Amino acid sequence: MSATIKSPEGKAVTEKALDAWKKVQYVRHEGPLPACREKVFELLSEPGHLNYFHPFCNVNEIVTWNEHRHHDMIEYLNGLILYRNFSHWSPPVGFDLYIGKKDEEQSFVTWSLKEMDRSTSSLTITIYPHVLMGVNRLIAYPAHLFWVKPRLQAYLRSVHNGLSQYLSTGIATKKNYWGKHPWFSLSE
């Protein structure tokens, strides 16, 4: 990551500020994918790529998608709309992005690809959620441990499973395929 990362408002974010952000609790998922990282990154570079494999995505629309800027919108199954503003793009290694509601606090996310062999790779997705930033640590730590982390782990596992399945079959992932999610699926 370089010191040229921009916040969603276009302001420069220093390494020191990012390091401070990363000290908050994060959630990470890592797992293998049945394709080399070049093929995976090629898919992730396609406009609207979440439409193929994201099990909680109703629609993934482009705001701006060109060689200089990547910015899109995801509408979840429950109608929640979040915007993704990519801040660092490094083919075929991965990318960093900010995600959140328009003009509100943003979470920081990294997608990192590693080559395993000619036909497999490993994907690590790390989320630094904004939801508990600024909350007293005595409250934030248990809330993260027992509320945020389990839900984000289930979310990341489902997204990873969807990507893996799509890479294997070429068939779009069904909605809620690995179960409903309390934050992103419709409640009944």
Side-chain angles (χ1 to χ4, degrees):
M1 193 169 313
S2 71
T4 59
I5 291 176
K6 302 281 185 192
S7 73
E9 297 80 30
K11 298 176 185 171
V13 177
T14 66
E15 290 292 328
K16 186 176 179 180
L18 281 174
D19 289 341
W21 195 344
K22 289 180 179 181
K23 288 180 184 175
V24 302
Q25 290 87 7
Y26 61 88
V27 179
R28 177 173 290 148
H29 178 81
E30 181 176 359
L33 293 172
C36 67
R37 74 178 181 175
E38 285 78 12
K39 182 177 178 183
V40 176
F41 198 86
E42 182 180 324
L43 171 61
L44 297 176
S45 297
E46 287 184 32
H49 59 265
L50 296 179
N51 292 313
Y52 303 125
F53 63 83
H54 196 303
F56 308 118
C57 175
N58 188 41
V59 66
N60 178 214
E61 293 181 351
I62 302 314
V63 175
T64 304
W65 203 268
N66 59 47
E67 67 178 284
H68 303 294
R69 184 152 189 244
H70 301 87
H71 184 198
D72 65 6
M73 177 276 295
I74 178 171
E75 179 184 328
Y76 290 93
L77 298 176
N78 64 358
L80 174 67
I81 295 175
L82 298 181
Y83 291 87
R84 301 190 311 161
N85 189 8
F86 296 74
S87 58
H88 183 75
W89 191 263
S90 183
V93 177
F95 49 79
D96 302 333
L97 61 93
Y98 293 92
I99 185 168
K101 292 180 181 177
K102 195 170 193 167
D103 301 323
E104 291 188 21
E105 293 291 327
Q106 307 282 299
S107 295
F108 185 69
V109 183
T110 66
W111 289 56
S112 178
L113 291 162
K114 291 181 185 170
E115 193 74 34
M116 303 292 281
D117 58 42
R118 288 183 175 178
S119 61
T120 61
S121 57
S122 174
L123 171 65
T124 302
I125 306 173
T126 307
I127 300 177
Y128 301 90
H130 72 83
V131 68
L132 296 172
M133 288 181 69
V135 175
N136 180 301
R137 285 186 181 212
L138 293 174
I139 297 168
Y141 181 73
H144 175 79
L145 194 62
F146 298 112
W147 183 61
V148 174
K149 188 173 183 177
R151 284 163 178 77
L152 285 179
Q153 284 176 326
Y155 172 82
L156 291 177
R157 195 170 34 255
S158 291
V159 171
H160 179 270
N161 287 344
L163 178 56
S164 182
Q165 179 185 15
Y166 182 77
L167 288 166
S168 293
T169 67
I171 299 169
T173 300
K174 292 180 181 179
K175 308 303 182 197
N176 294 316
Y177 191 72
W178 290 275
K180 292 184 177 185
H181 193 283
W183 293 349
F184 304 109
S185 300
L186 279 174
S187 58
E188 292 179 17

